[in-house]
Amino acid sequence: MKILAFETSCDDTAVAIVENGTKVLASVRNSQPDHSEWGGVVPELAARLHAENWRKTLEDCLDQANVSLSDIDALAVTQGPGLQTSLLTGTTVTSFLGMLHQKPVIPVHHILGHITSCVLDRKIPGILFPSLVLTVSGGHTSMYLYRDFTDVQLLGTTLDDAAGEAFDKCAKMLGLGYPGGPIVSDLAQKGDRNAYQFPRIFLEKESFDFSFSGLKAAVYREIEKNPLAPLSGEKENKKSQEKNEWENFCADICASFEEAVKDTFLEKIRRAFSAFPDIRQVHFVGGVSANTYLREKFLGFCSEKGIELLVPAQFEYCTDNAAMIASAAYFEYQKNPGILEKGFIEPDPRLQF
Ligand code: KG4
Ligand code: ZN
């Protein structure tokens, strides 16, 4: 079964075709670099660019997979959560294509897409249940018990900022650009991970929830103390010695920040292992799962316990992509063939599981 999916929940226009939930025939993403100067995604701009980009992204995807729309068995689309005006392009275009080409449409929850992303380019028997899934991105940070492709139990979620958002804000406070995750993680490699003792918020003893706002505030307080900091947003014009000093400071902040994020996750994984001793695999997914330091540390921790760690098979499946939506749609369809919809799919920015 070939499913063509659209994903337009935030700032990337993505289209993919996936066969039987795992085999990616093509996955195309048109990122929107124009947001960087604003330090975050501007919904109106994102909506305009989705409207401009969807057709070319669709054509590129069909070309890459060397198929036409008549070869597709079903369509899928991210229904939510996300930015209403961004979701609207995906749901409108997919609904329209479904009517025009007489194809059913499967609405998909964005996070279920991330949760399914480890199966892409892998074989289904390689996915072991129950597994612990950490979905960590700019919009969400949650931990799930994954008992089957469509049986997902939420264990905990962030009470304030998502981890990716904390990476983005850390970079923004240091005047380093957007998205902050890759920048902070590159700089962290040059810094001292023990330079600053930032808080690790574990919450109550049994809690699987997360909180990153205290960490963000502690980073802000440390930056604020440095007279070289560009906190007011003006472009700095530093002399070369000050430049070196500032770069070392940024590296230490990023390294200490990343260390605190790592410790926080390891503690939550440890708690999940002791509460659910039958966990057989850990899946680390979402944009932040592209982080090599976190991957390495999670891998070390899981191997010690004899549990396998899976991350998406390609870096491009960590961040938002349409292949994960097509895959999740396939498993939803397997469980409930009645999910196929004909007619208009309404976007739902606050869609619940
Ligand atoms: O999954 P995603 O593309 O979008 C959301 O659904 O939010 O994730 C984007 C997030 C951004 O916050 C970005 O800074 C973060 O993923 N990210 C990273 C890395 N690459 C992307 N965070 C830490 N380390 C990275 N290497
Ligand atoms: Zn996402």
Side-chain angles (χ1 to χ4, degrees), residues 87-197:
L87 290 165
L88 197 57
T89 300
T91 52
T92 307
V93 168
T94 316
S95 303
F96 165 74
L97 289 174
M99 287 178 222
L100 193 68
H101 294 273
Q102 296 290 303
K103 306 280 177 196
V105 182
I106 305 168
V108 175
H109 193 287
H110 178 80
I111 306 205
L112 193 62
H114 279 297
I115 292 174
T116 318
S117 62
C118 277
V119 83
L120 296 169
D121 289 348
R122 288 204 171 94
K123 302 258 182 284
I124 290 175
I127 307 294
L128 305 179
F129 297 108
S131 49
L132 177 71
V133 184
L134 299 160
T135 46
V136 192
S137 73
H140 26 259
T141 294
S142 310
M143 210 155 71
Y144 299 90
L145 196 62
Y146 195 30
R147 296 184 201 278
D148 189 359
F149 285 111
T150 52
D151 182 352
V152 183
Q153 180 193 343
L154 178 68
L155 299 180
T157 190
T158 182
L159 304 179
D160 38 58
D161 294 355
E165 193 182 351
F167 270 95
D168 293 337
K169 286 181 179 164
C170 179
K172 189 176 177 191
M173 289 186 277
L174 292 168
L176 297 175
Y178 176 87
I183 306 171
V184 169
S185 119
D186 278 355
L187 263 180
Q189 289 180 32
K190 300 179 205 139
D192 173 1
R193 299 194 180 271
N194 296 310
Y196 303 98
Q197 285 310 305

Side-chain angles (χ1 to χ4, degrees), residues 7 9-10 110-111 114 136-140 286-287 318-321 324:
E7 150 61 45
S9 64
C10 191
H110 178 80
I111 306 205
H114 279 297
V136 192
S137 73
H140 26 259
C318 296
T319 44
D320 289 348
N321 65 87
M324 67 184 194

